[in-house]
């Protein structure tokens, strides 16, 4: 990444995601798509990607919290990037990201849904919203689609 900082990371990831698209994926497939797409972006930017990383400071009901993705630049320079990928507005996801930011990480929350986020987002976390369309198939399955340029703040 040529520009440093939280805003630069969010802008870069949003630009990457705005080039992505998919059609008729199930809910688990959409989450996997976004997780894999973020990992591809990170690799392209020179980061090593770890999935399901424990965040020791995040504890809920005697369980340690896990971040969906944590990125470390291959050069060893720069801050860790912690990322959560969610369909819903999960307070726990935001809490983990706030704690990651308190540890000095850049914290990004990729939320895919058409509904707005109702939680206040602190200045240490950047929200990226993917405007995913949903339809119900004849089989009653919920299918999701993403068109290019549908990711923003």
């Amino acid at each position: 990444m040529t520009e440093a900082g939280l805003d630069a990371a969010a802008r870069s990831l949003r630009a990457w995601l705005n080039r992505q698209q998919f059609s008729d994926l199930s809910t688990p497939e959409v989450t996997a798509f976004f997780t894999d797409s973020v990992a591809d972006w990170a690799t392209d930017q020179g980061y090593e990607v770890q999935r399901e990383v424990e965040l020791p400071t995040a504890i809920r009901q005697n369980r340690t919290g896990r971040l969906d993705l944590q990125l470390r630049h291959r050069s060893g320079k720069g801050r860790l990037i912690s990322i959560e990928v969610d369909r819903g507005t999960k307070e726990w996801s935001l809490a983990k990201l706030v704690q990651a930011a308190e540890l000095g990480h850049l914290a990004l929350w990729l939320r895919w849904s058409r509904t707005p986020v109702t939680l206040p987002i602190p200045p240490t976390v950047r929200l990226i919203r993917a405007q995913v369309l949903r339809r119900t198939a004849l089989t009653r399955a919920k299918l999701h689609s993403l068109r290019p340029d549908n990711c923003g703040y």
Side-chain angles (χ1 to χ4, degrees):
M1 218 166 293
T2 58
E3 227 178 304
L6 184 56
D7 289 326
R11 273 193 301 276
S12 177
L13 179 55
R14 189 178 76 242
W16 177 276
L17 292 171
N18 273 325
R19 294 190 301 269
Q20 309 305 310
Q21 65 181 1
F22 57 81
S23 295
D24 294 341
L25 297 182
S26 68
T27 297
E29 289 172 328
V30 174
T31 298
F33 175 89
F34 279 120
T35 302
D36 292 344
S37 188
V38 171
D40 291 345
W41 164 78
T43 300
D44 186 67
Q45 297 297 313
Y47 286 87
E48 294 174 357
V49 178
Q50 289 185 292
R51 296 173 188 240
E52 295 297 320
V53 176
E54 280 192 17
L55 185 63
T57 59
I59 298 175
R60 185 175 97 182
Q61 298 173 349
N62 295 323
R63 293 178 56 202
T64 302
R66 292 183 175 273
L67 296 163
D68 292 328
L69 297 161
Q70 191 171 74
L71 316 177
R72 179 183 311 275
H73 201 272
R74 285 187 208 112
S75 70
K77 296 179 181 175
R79 295 161 60 188
L80 292 175
I81 301 176
S82 293
I83 301 172
E84 284 286 296
V85 178
D86 291 311
R87 179 176 60 133
T89 303
K90 298 180 182 175
E91 289 182 42
W92 178 232
S93 292
L94 184 57
K96 288 186 288 184
L97 289 170
V98 167
Q99 291 177 25
E102 288 171 355
L103 293 171
H105 304 190
L106 300 177
L108 302 175
W109 189 14
L110 171 55
R111 185 172 171 280
W112 63 271
S113 177
R114 293 201 52 94
T115 60
V117 174
T118 57
L119 298 173
I121 306 299
T124 57
V125 176
R126 290 298 176 270
L127 174 68
I128 299 169
R129 291 187 60 218
Q131 302 287 327
V132 173
L133 304 174
R134 184 177 88 174
R135 73 178 182 88
T136 303
L138 293 175
T139 61
R140 294 189 172 195
K142 304 285 189 247
L143 299 175
H144 307 276
S145 299
L146 177 71
R147 301 291 170 249
D149 292 322
N150 271 334
C151 295
Y153 292 113

